[in-house]
Structures are given as structure tokens and as C-alpha cells.
Amino acid sequence: MAAVLSATGAVLATDEFPATAAGYRDLLKWARKSGVVRRAGVEGTGSYGAALSRYLLAQGVDVLDVNWMDRADRRRRGKSDPLDAQNAARAVLSGRARARAKAGDGPVQVARMYKPTKVSAVKARTQAINQLKAVLITAEPALREELAHLGNAELFRTCARFADASSQEEGGEESVLQATRVTLGLLAHRIGQLSEQIREVDVRLARLVKCHAPQLLDVVGVGPDTAVALLITVEDNPERLDSEASFAALCGVSPVERSSGRRQYRRLNCGGDRQANAALHRIVFTRLRVDPRTQDYTSAGSKRARPGAKSSVASNATLLGRSSTWSNSYSQDPAYRGCRDGWRRAPPTGRHP
């Protein structure tokens, strides 16, 4: 469903088009009959509206991401597809919709495709390992004692040979011990296959980062996995981020005001991209272990802290922003400089002003 509004907010036309390549072409042709199309508001530019957003961007139309209709407005005006289309157009016209749509056609989109594959494979492998260990708990004592001294890698290889041996045995009634060995062998084969998939995806992601953002890997504490998480957050068009603070808010590392009266408080930001927030968390604590400058800053910060103040992840999160390594690596990139100020302004705890 689409709606065209004039510069004064009048509804010029409303129509429905299929979500196909031909439908996108017909939509733009229809909209241009009412005048020059400069901006478009699309709901769900990262999901159902991704294909339409890419087409409009390729045609030179500035696409903005539009949120759902306000609940109060929905109760007052009702809910229908034409009303939703008109609300999206009015959000763009009034300036309420300011988030630019992601391009979704560059190397970051490639990383976005690979990332869920790895995450699901890691989750499935963990489940398979847990199942294998659970089967060992209830296995026959002789079999359990045979495998008890083995590490994980050798354990999986030994169990995988159980399935190969059982396939060569003659048919007949199975015993519990034989069923246990077959189960262990099948689970071990599954673990091996998932591990191979994870390694293949890791190689592709590492090659992608080295080709398109090698400066990220030069920063102490940043590996291919955390680099991919930050790149996915920024996407292929970092110009969507208007300031350094916007990137800090996007990653959930900017403090949130909770002041009342004469007391000034700030709390931790629980919003933003939690995957990027987790990546920054890993970077900070890696630097706490291996980077001397981060360790020195931690010691200096502890001495400056107010007596009795509790330490937290928020206070440690300032370390990476103050590090000259991070600042020098991204001083030319506003998309990554944003987290620096956000960390520096983070409070020691949610209760500390």
C-alpha cells in the first residue's frame, strides 16, 4: 500500500502494489505521475521493506525508515493499510522520520548474511555437545570409564568411530550398549559437521574484514568477530549517523539522564544494538588483560574514584574511549568515533551522578 502527499500534506493518491520487482517499478512510475519524488518513507526497511528500500535508493530516492503509527493516533483515527501509508508519508513530510534506510548492498550485507549462519551453528553445536555429555552420564560404567579421561577433541573423534563401526556390524537385536555407542557416534558426527561449518564461516568473515576494514583489526582487543558485529551495526552507509553521540546511543553505551530536582543522576543505557554492546564489552575486557595503557588507566581511575564507590562494567567501559589506540585508528571515521565520547561520559554506576 502506498500514498502520495503534496508539500502541504494533502493526499494526492493512494494505491496498492504487489511486493515484486515489477510492482516496485509500477509503484515508482505511479508516484512520479503526481510530481518529482524526492523522499519516501518505508516501514520495516531492515526486513519486509528491505527490497523496496534498495530499489528506491538505486533510483535516486532518499528513503527514510518509518516506525509504526502511534498508538494514541491509531485509537483516534483507526487502523487500515491506507492510513498506515499516509502516516508514513506524513512522518517523512513533518520530519519525524529522520533515520535513513540502510543501503543493504555492500560488504556489510554479506557479513549480515553469514552472521546468523554462524550463530545458529554455534548454538546447535552446543546443544549437541550437551546431549553427548548427557548420554555419557547414563552410559554403561565400562564405556563411561573408557571415555572419562579424554578431552573434548579426542572424545568426539573416538565417539565418531563408534558410528563407523556400527555401520559395519551385522543386523540383529540391538543392546542398550550398542544403541548408546551409535547415539554417541551420530552426535559426534553432527558436532564435527557443525564445527566445519563454523570454521568456514569464520574464514569468510575474517577475509571480508581484512578486505574492507583492515584498520579495525589493528586495534588491540578487536578480532574478526567483534569487528563484524560493529560493521553490521554501522552498515554500508555510515553517513546515516549524524554525530559521534548517535553511534554511542546506537551501541547502547551512552548514559541516560534520570535526574530529579537538585539531584543529578545518570543510568546505564539498556537500549541500542545489544550485539554491538556485547562486542564493545568483549573489547574492553580483552584490553584490560593485555593492554598496559588500559591497565594503567584502570589503576588511575580507581585512585580518583570517590571512596566507597562500587566498580562496574560502566566504569570500565570508559577505558577504550580514552585509549589513544582507538582514537588514532578512527579519528577520521565519524561512525566509529562516536563510541569514544559515549564511553567517556558513562557514569561509574547507575547510582553515581
Side-chain angles (χ1 to χ4, degrees):
M1 182 61 66
V4 179
L5 268 62
S6 66
T8 59
V11 179
L12 301 179
T14 303
D15 205 345
E16 186 174 353
F17 299 89
T20 61
Y24 299 154
R25 291 193 295 269
D26 295 340
L27 166 63
L28 188 57
K29 186 184 300 183
W30 165 81
R32 283 174 172 169
K33 291 180 181 178
S34 302
V36 179
V37 180
R38 294 188 176 89
R39 294 180 297 171
V42 179
E43 287 187 2
T45 57
S47 55
Y48 293 106
L52 175 60
S53 300
R54 287 195 295 268
Y55 174 76
L56 293 176
L57 288 171
Q59 299 301 315
V61 179
D62 190 13
V63 181
L64 302 178
D65 192 7
V66 178
N67 296 326
W68 289 359
M69 183 186 296
D70 182 69
R71 290 185 177 181
D73 193 25
R74 180 177 295 181
R75 285 194 298 269
R76 184 173 60 254
R77 300 179 56 197
K79 169 72 172 69
S80 68
D81 289 342
L83 287 176
D84 286 346
Q86 295 172 21
N87 178 72
R90 286 195 171 91
V92 174
L93 187 63
S94 64
R96 286 187 290 112
R98 294 179 294 177
R100 299 173 185 173
K102 301 173 182 178
D105 57 355
V108 177
Q109 185 64 20
V110 177
R112 183 184 286 273
M113 293 291 106
Y114 287 142
K115 189 67 174 177
T117 305
K118 179 184 176 180
V119 171
S120 61
V122 170
K123 183 178 180 179
R125 183 179 65 175
T126 302
Q127 291 176 341
I129 292 174
N130 292 338
Q131 289 173 355
L132 188 145
K133 298 293 182 65
V135 171
L136 281 176
I137 292 174
T138 59
E140 293 289 336
L143 178 60
R144 191 169 62 247
E145 293 170 5
E146 177 187 348
L147 304 175
H149 66 282
L150 301 179
N152 279 346
E154 185 62 28
L155 174 64
F156 300 152
R157 286 194 293 268
T158 303
C159 291
R161 289 195 290 269
F162 291 163
D164 298 335
S166 63
S167 63
Q168 300 174 1
E169 295 177 358
E170 296 181 357
E173 186 176 354
E174 285 188 332
S175 63
V176 175
L177 177 59
Q178 184 179 0
T180 302
R181 295 169 70 92
V182 171
T183 301
L184 291 174
L186 294 176
L187 289 172
H189 274 295
R190 184 186 304 174
I191 293 169
Q193 292 171 357
L194 292 170
S195 298
E196 183 61 31
Q197 292 179 12
I198 294 169
R199 284 192 293 269
E200 181 180 353
V201 175
D202 280 337
V203 170
R204 292 178 179 274
L205 289 175
R207 184 166 60 241
L208 193 69
V209 175
K210 289 180 182 179
C211 291
H212 299 283
Q215 70 276 16
L216 274 175
L217 301 178
D218 296 334
V219 180
V220 177
V222 179
D225 210 44
T226 51
V228 166
L230 294 176
L231 288 174
I232 289 176
T233 301
V234 176
E235 285 290 339
D236 289 306
N237 44 344
E239 66 275 2
R240 296 185 308 113
L241 304 174
D242 298 328
S243 64
E244 296 181 356
S246 64
F247 182 73
L250 184 61
C251 295
V253 296
S254 59
V256 179
E257 293 286 349
R258 52 168 301 186
S259 303
S260 178
R262 291 180 297 176
R263 300 187 66 85
Q264 302 295 318
Y265 286 94
R266 288 183 178 182
R267 64 170 176 83
L268 296 179
N269 189 342
C270 298
D273 189 332
R274 304 316 298 173
Q275 297 298 323
N277 190 280
L280 297 177
H281 177 91
R282 294 194 297 272
I283 293 170
V284 169
F285 279 91
T286 300
R287 295 176 68 94
L288 282 171
R289 292 195 306 269
V290 302
D291 186 30
R293 286 176 298 176
T294 304
Q295 296 167 355
D296 294 342
Y297 183 80
T298 306
S299 302
S302 300
K303 295 177 181 179
R304 294 195 304 267
R306 187 178 65 182
K310 298 180 180 179
S311 61
S312 66
V313 174
S315 61
N316 292 332
T318 62
L319 304 176
L320 191 56
R322 290 292 182 92
S323 170
S324 60
T325 302
W326 181 274
S327 302
N328 293 337
S329 298
Y330 298 99
S331 60
Q332 304 301 321
D333 193 343
Y336 294 102
R337 289 204 314 267
C339 51
R340 181 182 61 205
D341 291 342
W343 285 325
R344 185 164 57 239
R345 290 191 296 268
T349 66
R351 297 182 179 179
H352 191 67

